[in-house]
């Protein structure tokens, strides 16, 4: 007679297996995977550790754990990820939204103090739609335009707009940075998390990143600065007076980018650190 496995049995075995495969947080990931297979939140799992599992459930769990053992990102396996106040569908069509970008949104919101303001906001390179939809949540009267050059990413972002109920609040448009933006379109805030890694940085990244996430959304030429420079040069013409451009950047890029902002005659520019103290964000005001 086959042994009956409980939730705790499977979590423990899965964590050990994932640890051998080099997963950084094997126990945490095992808990998320088992909870996802059961349709539970991770914390709910603790109340069901003694629950016996049937073969159909075990089969789903084995599939999830096998995928994670190959270093497929947890978010792609579960098909979703939280981002600030919303939950987003997440798959290989776009980058996984990260905590650094959540902080970018928080910082950018400091430029728009009125939550009921009728702002115009532009999200460049929207990916999953994370930045645009998080801002739609916080600014109910804002008009938000989100663009991306990837049709696949735009399709995913549109799906997330439906899931969050903001499909009438955010316009999605295919555009390679400013190519699809009308000459006379102006915004009170422009935000972007563009590609900023070098080829070398991507080659040294974890398998979850280099083997699964879209490289075109990660790497830029000119030591990772090419797209950032395009955005700095192009944004000024689309910002209202006093409006700001907020960018997420790579490490050790700020000095060159701040020189460029001066050449582009922004009224002010500053670099800001992320929560780990690393240079991560730029704010430029028109």
């Amino acid at each position: 007679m086959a042994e009956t496995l409980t939730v705790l049995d499977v979590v423990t075995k899965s964590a050990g297996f994932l640890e051998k495969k080099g997963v950084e947080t094997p126990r945490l990931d095992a808990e998320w995977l088992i909870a996802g297979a059961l349709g539970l939140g991770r914390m709910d799992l603790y109340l069901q550790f003694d629950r016996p599992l049937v073969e159909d459930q075990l089969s789903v769990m084995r599939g999830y754990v096998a995928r994670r053992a190959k270093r497929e990102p947890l978010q792609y396996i579960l098909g979703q990820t939280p981002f600030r106040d919303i939950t987003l569908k997440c798959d290989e069509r776009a980058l996984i939204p990260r905590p650094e970008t959540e902080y970018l949104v928080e910082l950018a919101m400091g430029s728009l103090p009125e939550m009921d303001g009728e702002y115009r906001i532009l999200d460049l390179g929207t990916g999953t739609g994370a930045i645009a939809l998080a801002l739609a949540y916080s600014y109910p009267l804002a008009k938000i335009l989100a663009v991306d050059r990837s049709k696949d990413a735009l399709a995913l972002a549109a799906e997330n707009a439906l899931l969050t109920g903001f499909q009438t609040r955010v316009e999605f448009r295919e555009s390679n940075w400013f190519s699809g933006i009308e000459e006379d379109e102006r915004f009170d805030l422009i935000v972007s998390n563009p590609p900023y890694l070098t080829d070398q940085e991507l080659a040294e990244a974890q398998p979850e990143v280099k083997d699964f996430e879209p490289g075109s959304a990660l790497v830029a030429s000119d030591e990772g600065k090419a797209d950032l420079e395009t955005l700095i040069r192009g944004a000024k013409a689309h910002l209202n007076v006093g409006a700001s451009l907020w960018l997420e950047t790579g490490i050790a890029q700020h000095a060159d980018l701040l020189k460029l902002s001066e050449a582009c005659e922004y009224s002010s520019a500053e670099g800001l650190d992320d929560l780990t103290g690393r240079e991560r964000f730029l704010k430029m005001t028109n």
Side-chain angles (χ1 to χ4, degrees):
M1 186 173 177
E3 176 189 7
T4 299
L5 295 174
T6 66
V7 167
L8 182 57
D9 292 332
V10 176
V11 168
T12 303
K13 289 176 185 290
S14 299
F17 180 61
L18 294 176
E19 185 175 17
K20 291 176 183 176
K21 295 297 183 178
V23 173
E24 284 190 358
T25 53
R27 173 71 184 214
L28 182 62
D29 285 23
E31 290 178 358
W32 274 116
L33 292 168
I34 304 315
L38 292 171
L40 300 173
R42 187 177 71 86
M43 298 308 294
D44 297 327
L45 213 60
Y46 288 83
L47 303 176
Q48 303 195 28
F49 272 165
D50 294 331
R51 173 179 170 179
L53 298 169
V54 299
E55 183 55 38
D56 286 351
Q57 294 167 331
L58 291 168
S59 178
V60 175
M61 292 170 187
R62 290 188 195 105
Y64 280 7
V65 173
R67 290 169 65 184
R68 188 70 188 99
K70 294 176 181 176
R71 306 299 291 275
E72 183 176 350
L74 182 69
Q75 296 89 336
Y76 287 171
I77 298 168
L78 297 177
Q80 64 180 29
T81 191
F83 187 83
R84 289 184 61 83
D85 302 295
I86 57 179
T87 298
L88 299 168
K89 183 177 180 180
C90 194
D91 60 37
E92 62 281 353
R93 288 177 287 178
L95 289 185
I96 299 163
R98 288 166 166 78
E100 294 86 355
T101 308
E102 291 184 283
Y103 191 42
L104 171 66
V105 172
E106 182 178 334
L107 291 171
M109 287 174 61
S111 301
L112 301 179
E114 303 298 329
M115 291 301 168
D116 59 352
E118 296 183 7
Y119 299 116
R120 283 275 290 158
I121 299 172
L122 174 61
D123 172 20
L124 290 161
T126 195
T128 60
I131 291 174
L133 295 169
L135 291 170
Y137 179 95
S138 296
Y139 296 99
L141 300 183
K143 293 181 179 178
I144 301 171
L145 173 61
V147 306
D148 207 293
R149 65 185 178 186
S150 165
K151 288 185 173 67
D152 287 340
L154 285 172
L156 177 58
E159 290 166 25
N160 277 321
L162 282 169
L163 288 170
T164 54
F166 297 139
Q167 65 270 24
T168 62
R169 299 275 320 287
V170 180
E171 176 192 350
F172 295 101
R173 189 185 301 174
E174 186 177 347
S175 177
N176 186 9
W177 301 133
F178 295 100
S179 67
I181 309 298
E182 297 296 329
E183 200 171 303
D184 61 350
E185 288 187 275
R186 299 288 184 275
F187 301 91
D188 302 299
L189 174 68
I190 299 177
V191 190
S192 183
N193 174 24
Y196 54 72
L197 296 182
T198 65
D199 288 321
Q200 182 64 30
E201 285 172 327
L202 182 61
E204 295 171 355
Q206 292 290 327
E208 287 86 345
V209 176
K210 66 182 179 181
D211 294 341
F212 290 93
E213 295 194 81
S216 61
L218 289 163
V219 174
S221 59
D222 189 20
E223 299 180 327
K225 299 192 298 285
D227 289 312
L228 287 159
E229 290 172 351
T230 296
L231 296 180
I232 292 168
R233 290 191 182 97
K236 196 170 188 299
H238 295 284
L239 286 168
N240 287 322
V241 175
S244 296
L245 165 68
W246 282 89
L247 298 170
E248 184 173 330
T249 74
I251 297 161
Q253 296 175 337
H254 282 192
D256 289 343
L257 297 174
L258 287 170
K259 285 180 186 175
L260 177 60
S261 74
E262 186 176 348
C264 292
E265 298 184 339
Y266 284 88
S267 66
S268 66
E270 61 178 318
L272 295 96
D273 293 344
D274 63 19
L275 294 173
T276 68
R278 300 173 113 184
E279 291 185 346
R280 183 71 66 181
F281 310 107
L282 288 175
K283 176 190 180 184
M284 299 179 184
T285 303
N286 191 16

